[in-house]
Amino acid sequence: METENPVDLAHLQSPSLSFCDLGLGGGEPFSPSAFRDYSSDQFPSSSTQARWRLLAGCTSVPPTTASDSPNDGFISQLVSDLASCSIEEQRLAVMEIRLLAKNNPNDRYRIAQAGAIKPLISIISSASDPILQEHSVTAILNLSLCDENKEAIVALGAVKPLVKALRVGTSTAKENAACALLRLSQMEQNKAEIGRSGAIPPLVSLLEGGGPRGKNDAATALYSLCSLKENKVRAVQAGLMKTLVELMADLESTMVDKAAFVASVLVTGLEEARAALVEEGGIPVLVEIVEVGSQRQKEIAVVMLLELCEDSAVYRTMVVREGAVPPLVALSQSRTRWAKQKTEKLIELLRKRSSDGGGS
């Protein structure tokens, strides 16, 4: 299994991003500040006492205190209710598990240890009730916030049902399935299984057609998964580069930075991705970003242009013909040492195009 290091983006990363939402642990270079720190579960929290009163009809086990942490018997009853023949009881139990796992970090491990993961996965797989599936997907997402639960979630077979929800669930289920797969991909050994389970094409579809949060979750999941070369290939085959180029071309949108970071991962070490970037009209878009984009956008555009130009005189010629040299010269005057070095290296490469005879 071949995992590649992403493009060197260390200088672009935000140290304030928390692991709990979009970052990886262990200092791994995963959280450039382009990826916002979303609160994954957008469901409003009611008071604990109100929720327990709501559940009174389907459980007789009261909490031991008025705190936000119920006793083990209460959690066990909720897990038991997941297998109820009543859809209403299942909904209430799933909703309570979802909210407990969202609001109380200590309860995430306790809920998993009580056996909630397997019946939640079964509910996601059956998809008999779209709202029930949505709550179950989000419960799994919230449980995955606990590192100790990730291995069990994958081992009990959650990946394929999450991919199914990503394809056919409600809009919220799709968004939360994408975020759950992102969190599971934070364990390196899970990236191949997620890719082989068919997650890449529906993530590309969500990036293309989802709402603002769906696009962000899809982009971040793809960024994580595509550190693995086989997933890069799947992403290119699924048409991801076309979507990324379109997003980068809309300089007024909030997705330019995110799309650029994902594209930079794809083109690093994969000729098919570089060819797809050029074929989809990426060179004019990157040159425009160098001209009028933000400082960070300009720098990541330079990274991608370097990837294109280092081994191809044909691409160097195309970049020059798009008028890249003047804005690159202007960028080379940047006070940022990193930007200055990379830009000067790219300018030097472009000067070689004539001596290489225009060949590839």
Side-chain angles (χ1 to χ4, degrees):
M1 185 185 304
E2 183 178 357
T3 303
E4 298 185 353
N5 291 325
V7 176
D8 180 11
L9 303 174
H11 75 295
L12 301 177
Q13 294 176 20
S14 167
S16 63
L17 277 174
S18 84
F19 165 75
C20 289
D21 276 299
L22 295 180
L24 285 180
E28 190 171 341
F30 175 74
S31 305
S33 56
F35 296 100
R36 282 190 57 198
D37 197 15
Y38 270 90
S39 175
S40 301
D41 185 354
Q42 304 295 308
F43 195 76
S45 301
S46 59
S47 73
T48 303
Q49 291 299 320
R51 298 200 311 271
W52 280 326
R53 285 195 295 271
L54 182 66
L55 283 159
C58 53
T59 177
S60 60
V61 183
T64 54
T65 71
S67 72
D68 282 341
S69 186
N71 62 30
D72 291 339
F74 183 73
I75 290 176
S76 296
Q77 183 63 54
L78 290 174
V79 173
S80 177
D81 287 343
L82 293 176
S84 171
C85 296
S86 166
I87 291 292
E88 186 61 27
E89 285 191 3
Q90 283 186 312
R91 279 188 180 181
L92 289 170
V94 170
M95 187 183 301
E96 178 67 8
I97 287 172
R98 169 182 178 171
L99 292 172
L100 286 173
K102 173 186 177 182
N103 295 321
N104 195 323
N106 294 329
D107 286 337
R108 293 169 190 152
Y109 183 73
R110 295 171 62 205
I111 291 168
Q113 290 298 297
I117 293 174
K118 190 170 184 179
L120 286 171
I121 292 171
S122 297
I123 292 172
I124 298 170
S125 298
S126 67
S128 57
D129 180 276
I131 301 303
L132 184 60
Q133 183 190 57
E134 177 186 308
H135 285 310
S136 299
V137 166
T138 314
I140 289 291
L141 165 59
N142 292 342
L143 291 174
S144 74
L145 291 171
C146 174
D147 286 351
E148 289 80 0
N149 291 340
K150 288 187 174 73
E151 185 175 350
I153 290 170
V154 174
L156 290 170
V159 172
K160 287 186 177 179
L162 287 171
V163 171
K164 179 179 180 179
L166 185 59
R167 290 199 317 269
V168 302
T170 67
S171 59
T172 299
K174 289 178 180 180
E175 292 170 355
N176 289 342
C179 207
L181 291 168
L182 161 65
R183 298 188 190 286
L184 297 178
S185 75
Q186 291 168 353
M187 295 180 68
E188 195 67 31
Q189 65 269 29
N190 293 336
K191 292 183 179 182
E193 180 175 348
I194 293 171
R196 292 167 189 170
S197 297
I200 303 294
L203 284 171
V204 174
S205 296
L206 184 61
L207 179 63
E208 181 178 6
R213 180 171 171 262
K215 288 178 181 290
N216 184 82
D217 290 340
T220 312
L222 288 164
Y223 184 89
S224 175
L225 291 168
C226 288
S227 67
L228 192 69
K229 187 172 183 178
E230 65 181 75
N231 286 339
K232 290 187 187 186
V233 174
R234 293 187 180 99
V236 173
Q237 292 173 344
L240 175 58
M241 194 59 77
K242 180 178 186 294
T243 301
L244 294 175
V245 171
E246 291 173 351
L247 291 171
M248 288 190 292
D250 184 3
L251 291 174
E252 299 300 317
S253 81
T254 60
M255 289 299 298
V256 177
D257 297 42
K258 302 173 185 69
F261 277 113
V262 177
S264 72
V265 172
L266 289 180
V267 300
T268 303
L270 190 67
E271 174 55 36
E272 299 98 307
R274 293 192 288 273
L277 176 61
V278 174
E279 183 178 343
E280 297 297 342
I283 287 178
V285 171
L286 292 176
V287 172
E288 183 181 12
I289 290 174
V290 174
E291 288 180 312
V292 300
S294 68
Q295 181 68 20
R296 178 170 65 185
Q297 291 166 0
K298 290 178 180 181
E299 291 175 4
I300 192 61
V302 167
V303 168
M304 283 188 277
L305 288 171
L306 267 174
E307 284 290 330
L308 290 177
C309 292
E310 280 190 309
D311 297 318
S312 174
V314 170
Y315 293 164
R316 290 197 288 271
T317 299
M318 294 173 69
V319 170
V320 171
R321 287 176 178 171
E322 286 297 329
V325 173
L328 286 171
V329 171
L331 185 60
S332 70
Q333 308 305 311
S334 171
R335 294 180 180 179
T336 305
R337 187 180 67 173
W338 185 94
K340 182 179 177 66
Q341 290 175 342
K342 294 293 184 181
T343 305
E344 288 177 348
K345 181 179 180 182
L346 178 56
I347 292 170
E348 183 63 29
L349 278 173
L350 296 178
R351 288 173 178 161
K352 291 175 58 180
R353 70 186 183 93
S354 297
S355 61
D356 288 345
S360 179

